[in-house]
Amino acid sequence: MRILQSSILRALCAIVVGYLLVMYRTDMVQWITIAIGIMFFLTGVVSVVAYYTEKRKIEKTAEQLSTMAELRGGQGTPHNRMNIKKAMSPSFPIVGLGSMILGVILAAMPGSFIKGVMYVLSAIIILGSLNLFFNFANIRKIIRVPFMFWLFPSILAVAGIYMMAKPMEISALPFRILGWCLMLYGVVEIISGIKIFQVQKHYENEQKRVEAAYKEAQASMTEDAIVLDKKEKGI
């Protein structure tokens, strides 16, 4: 019964999560984009903070080295300090700054970013299909091109146009597929859990029946042995 209960609970959780993914797939895409943007922004902040922290340490070290050189009778202390700073100073984290900017864009405008990416991808697909059409048209001047070769770029062109018309629907398609798969898994899990429970109950009943038959046969053999012993003793 515990196995059946855990199986049903797991299946119900999968069905609920799958339903939420199917119903709110567009929101899921936007929230994941925002989460990715926050991660990019935080990594950029860490790299920039680390840069300025290291820069302050180097400035302090340069001052100490310059002071030591001055105490030893060195000349041109400010010049030496600048040279030490230039030699030891880390490069500015351009990648970190770019991560911060990208993170702000992703977190502040997730819908616009997703649409922009989908427009670019759909344009690439449409251009690729047009390129195939032009290639087949040139080949057709020499040999006959089968119908199937024209069908593939046509499908690509239709898919690209559909992506451009409904970019958010296409971007949320993986969540929709995942949601349906989770709901299907939940239904199958419930059915299999019930079947396994029935098989286990049948096995337990059969085991009890065999044990009862064995005890009954053992008791009968004991009674027969007692009766035989009494006959031998003439009781």
Side-chain angles (χ1 to χ4, degrees), residues 32-52:
I32 288 177
T33 305
I34 292 173
I36 294 173
I38 293 172
M39 291 175 60
F40 270 104
F41 180 78
L42 292 178
T43 54
V45 169
V46 170
S47 62
V48 172
V49 171
Y51 164 75
Y52 282 107

Side-chain angles (χ1 to χ4, degrees), residues 87-112:
M88 299 180 61
S89 180
S91 58
F92 185 79
I94 299 176
V95 176
L97 183 62
S99 296
M100 291 176 61
I101 296 173
L102 178 60
V104 171
I105 294 173
L106 289 174
M109 299 179 293
S112 301

Side-chain angles (χ1 to χ4, degrees), residues 10-131:
R10 186 168 59 249
L12 290 176
C13 290
I15 292 174
V16 171
V17 173
Y19 175 78
L20 292 176
L21 287 175
V22 172
M23 294 301 298
Y24 303 102
R25 54 190 180 275
T26 305
D27 295 335
M28 287 295 297
V29 173
Q30 292 188 355
W31 280 111
I32 288 177
T33 305
I34 292 173
I36 294 173
I38 293 172
M39 291 175 60
F40 270 104
F41 180 78
L42 292 178
T43 54
V45 169
V46 170
S47 62
V48 172
V49 171
Y51 164 75
Y52 282 107
T53 303
E54 187 67 20
K55 187 177 180 181
R56 283 196 296 268
K57 289 182 180 179
I58 290 172
E59 289 177 355
K60 186 177 180 180
T61 303
E63 291 178 359
Q64 292 175 350
L65 293 175
S66 179
T67 303
M68 291 175 62
E70 185 179 5
L71 293 174
R72 292 176 182 176
Q75 297 178 355
T77 302
H79 181 68
N80 290 336
R81 187 182 297 117
M82 291 299 297
N83 289 336
I84 293 171
K85 288 182 180 180
K86 289 180 180 179
M88 299 180 61
S89 180
S91 58
F92 185 79
I94 299 176
V95 176
L97 183 62
S99 296
M100 291 176 61
I101 296 173
L102 178 60
V104 171
I105 294 173
L106 289 174
M109 299 179 293
S112 301
F113 180 82
I114 294 170
K115 288 181 180 179
V117 172
M118 297 307 296
Y119 286 148
V120 171
L121 293 177
S122 60
I124 292 173
I125 292 175
I126 293 173
L127 292 175
S129 62
L130 292 176
N131 184 54

